Amino acid sequence: MSLLSPPHIPLFRITLFYGPEVLEGASETIHCVFNVKKRSWKGGVQIDIVVGRNQIQQLENQLKFRPWIDEVLRIVPSDEREDYVKQGNDLLVQFLCFHKLGIYIQQGIKQESTEVSAGQFISEMDEVIRREAQNIKQQIMVELDIEEFERGRD
């Protein structure tokens, strides 16, 4: 009998399809669309996660994102910093949408494409983002490849 346990295989394969984007006529909301496929499904579904700009602002404040990203990007050359700030903002919104998608999946996802509206899961997102704050920031740093600049200073 083997003492090794099999590797954990996720129940869902989640891929960011596109976003964050503002749809025409809906400037108060941001959309991220994910392709979600459960292992038992023959094909994936597209889930449009919508988050209101007000909620994004509140979550940014909760994370103290602006002061944090400004501090992190101090080591980036000033002529490149604006691009990094924009990319950091996009990554933040993608991670917020990803966590909202996680809440939706936990509620019981069906094999059909759908939209999760801006008004859904507001309090649940506050809790998840509070709990995942350090992880979100760490993932943003990895995605921005900040270590590249730290190595260059040594």
Side-chain angles (χ1 to χ4, degrees):
M1 180 168 103
S2 173
L3 296 178
L4 297 175
S5 60
H8 173 70
I9 299 172
L11 188 57
F12 294 93
R13 186 191 49 162
I14 300 171
T15 308
L16 177 66
F17 189 59
Y18 69 86
E21 285 195 9
V22 176
L23 298 183
E24 190 175 321
S27 64
E28 291 304 309
T29 58
I30 306 289
H31 295 251
C32 290
V33 176
F34 294 88
N35 187 305
V36 179
K37 183 181 181 308
K38 192 172 183 179
R39 287 184 13 224
S40 63
W41 296 347
K42 291 186 187 237
V45 295
Q46 290 186 353
I47 309 296
D48 182 3
I49 300 295
V50 184
V51 182
R53 286 188 188 272
N54 288 341
Q55 186 179 22
I56 291 170
Q57 184 64 50
Q58 289 170 350
L59 294 171
E60 281 180 358
N61 292 342
Q62 179 180 311
L63 291 168
K64 297 176 178 58
F65 185 74
R66 293 282 163 227
W68 173 81
I69 197 75
D70 289 343
E71 178 65 24
V72 165
L73 296 178
R74 260 181 330 112
I75 62 175
V76 174
S78 59
D79 61 325
E80 297 178 38
R81 203 167 295 145
E82 188 176 325
D83 291 337
Y84 275 84
V85 168
K86 182 181 179 337
Q87 187 178 4
N89 290 332
D90 284 351
L91 288 166
L92 174 63
V93 174
Q94 288 173 5
F95 285 122
L96 296 177
C97 289
F98 177 79
H99 285 292
K100 186 170 184 173
L101 173 63
I103 295 165
Y104 175 70
I105 288 172
Q106 288 177 352
Q107 300 292 317
I109 188 172
K110 296 181 178 120
Q111 190 177 0
E112 57 189 42
S113 295
T114 192
E115 177 184 285
V116 179
S117 74
Q120 290 180 269
F121 308 123
I122 289 177
S123 62
E124 293 91 339
M125 275 199 55
D126 289 344
E127 175 59 33
V128 167
I129 300 309
R130 187 175 301 110
R131 188 177 63 238
E132 294 294 323
Q134 288 307 109
N135 188 30
I136 290 168
K137 290 176 179 178
Q138 183 61 40
Q139 288 176 329
I140 289 171
M141 285 184 64
V142 168
E143 289 286 332
L144 290 175
D145 203 15
I146 298 300
E147 294 83 23
E148 165 191 341
F149 294 103
E150 290 176 338
R151 285 190 300 269
R153 290 176 20 170
D154 295 339

